[in-house]
Amino acid sequence: MATLSPLITLQRFAAFLAALSWLVVILPPSALATENTAEKDPLNSFMWPVYRERFLGDAPVVFDERVIVNAPGFAEDSGQVPIELDASALEASGEPITDIIAWVDLNPIPRLFRYSPMSHGLAKLSLNIRLEQASAVRVAVKQGGTWHVGGTYIEAEGGGCTTPGIASADTDWENTFGELQGRLFANEGEQRLRVRLSHPMDSGLIPSQPAFYVQSFELLDQQGEQVAALDIDASVSANPTLGLHMRPSPGGYVIGARDNNGNRFSIGLQP
């Protein structure tokens, strides 16, 4: 049986490569792009593809200016950085918002919260967070089957997630542990709840200091029906303070919280 010489075989392989390179050149870029690579991250973070897949899955994603994340340009205190989400312009389109997720690209514990507005929650809330270093901060709002993403970039000195919390710095923290304070403010067409829970929110990232943090808040109406739910992680600041905008409830709300040690806390707020 005849065999091909090594030279002929090499020549055929070179011709194959040349043909392949020609195909790559003439194909339009759209034929080679995937849905994910078509998403241009306005904050240009190398972590975007990682958390896009982890938190948002394979659902469609659009960067949307109607999802506004307000925060200071520089965090003077990396352990207490105020952020505010305002997606009320997106909500005004009339289609219900079913899910909201927020995260920090470069935090060791990236997720901040997951909010289920359910029947009464509005797409506007605020809280304080920790920053381990300067980072992009994202909020993704799900409307229909699409995630609408907004965000901002915060400069920071850093160390907000890995410095000792109030349990180490304040020997009297146990005297106020678990105190849940709040107020309800009635505005036109909505009620704003301001809630503060005394809790160390230890992340577990410091040696000899186990994780000890609040995991969830739930909002109930006066009939005991759950009308909104918020899950948070240890990247939220010590003594978490929440600002929640809600549809009016004539009898006010009952707010309950639970930490990872099974402790439960609650408060009732009336107009």
Side-chain angles (χ1 to χ4, degrees):
M1 181 176 63
T3 59
L4 295 176
S5 70
L7 179 59
I8 294 176
T9 303
L10 183 60
Q11 288 174 336
R12 288 185 175 180
F13 182 68
F16 169 77
L17 289 180
L20 182 61
S21 63
W22 176 76
L23 285 173
V24 172
V25 170
I26 66 171
L27 281 174
S30 59
L32 301 175
T34 65
E35 181 181 352
N36 287 352
T37 57
E39 298 163 3
K40 175 62 176 176
D41 176 19
L43 298 177
N44 197 29
S45 170
F46 67 93
M47 292 301 296
W48 162 250
V50 176
Y51 293 130
R52 187 257 192 264
E53 181 179 0
R54 178 184 300 183
F55 296 132
L56 310 183
D58 56 3
V61 171
V62 294
F63 292 100
D64 196 326
E65 293 181 351
R66 293 173 296 176
V67 179
I68 301 170
V69 182
N70 292 313
F74 180 85
E76 296 181 358
D77 181 354
S78 295
Q80 292 281 346
V81 184
I83 67 167
E84 180 185 30
L85 160 69
D86 185 353
S88 51
L90 177 64
E91 194 167 40
S93 67
E95 188 171 3
I97 287 172
T98 56
D99 204 358
I100 301 175
I101 301 174
W103 70 90
V104 180
D105 279 14
L106 299 182
N107 266 9
I109 302 173
R111 197 185 76 156
L112 297 170
F113 65 80
R114 184 164 197 155
Y115 185 45
S116 299
M118 301 173 67
S119 61
H120 280 55
L122 299 174
K124 190 173 181 179
L125 60 92
S126 62
L127 75 169
N128 284 15
I129 67 170
R130 292 166 162 154
L131 281 179
E132 184 60 19
Q133 57 185 298
S135 178
V137 179
R138 316 271 188 177
V139 178
V141 178
K142 195 169 191 181
Q143 189 178 54
T146 300
W147 288 102
H148 299 257
V149 179
T152 190
Y153 189 87
I154 306 176
E155 294 284 355
E157 290 289 344
C161 300
T162 53
T163 53
I166 60 173
S168 299
D170 184 359
T171 56
D172 293 329
W173 73 272
E174 291 182 345
N175 296 330
T176 59
F177 171 75
E179 288 185 359
L180 188 55
Q181 302 170 321
R183 291 189 65 183
L184 186 154
F185 304 89
N187 299 323
E188 184 177 355
E190 68 177 40
Q191 293 175 338
R192 182 170 64 90
L193 310 181
R194 185 77 172 173
V195 181
R196 181 182 185 274
L197 174 58
S198 295
H199 200 288
M201 294 293 291
D202 293 326
S203 64
L205 299 175
I206 300 172
S208 75
Q209 191 178 86
F212 183 40
Y213 61 95
V214 178
Q215 291 182 309
S216 64
F217 289 85
E218 63 175 2
L219 288 90
L220 311 176
D221 63 17
Q222 289 299 306
Q223 287 69 48
E225 294 293 327
Q226 187 176 24
V227 295
L230 176 70
D231 293 336
I232 66 174
D233 281 283
S235 281
V236 171
S237 301
N239 297 326
T241 302
L242 309 176
L244 302 172
H245 292 246
M246 309 291 293
R247 292 183 173 85
S249 173
Y253 291 94
V254 174
I255 301 174
R258 177 178 55 83
D259 68 20
N260 66 323
N261 280 11
N263 297 303
R264 294 182 177 272
F265 321 92
S266 65
I267 187 175
L269 301 178
Q270 286 76 39

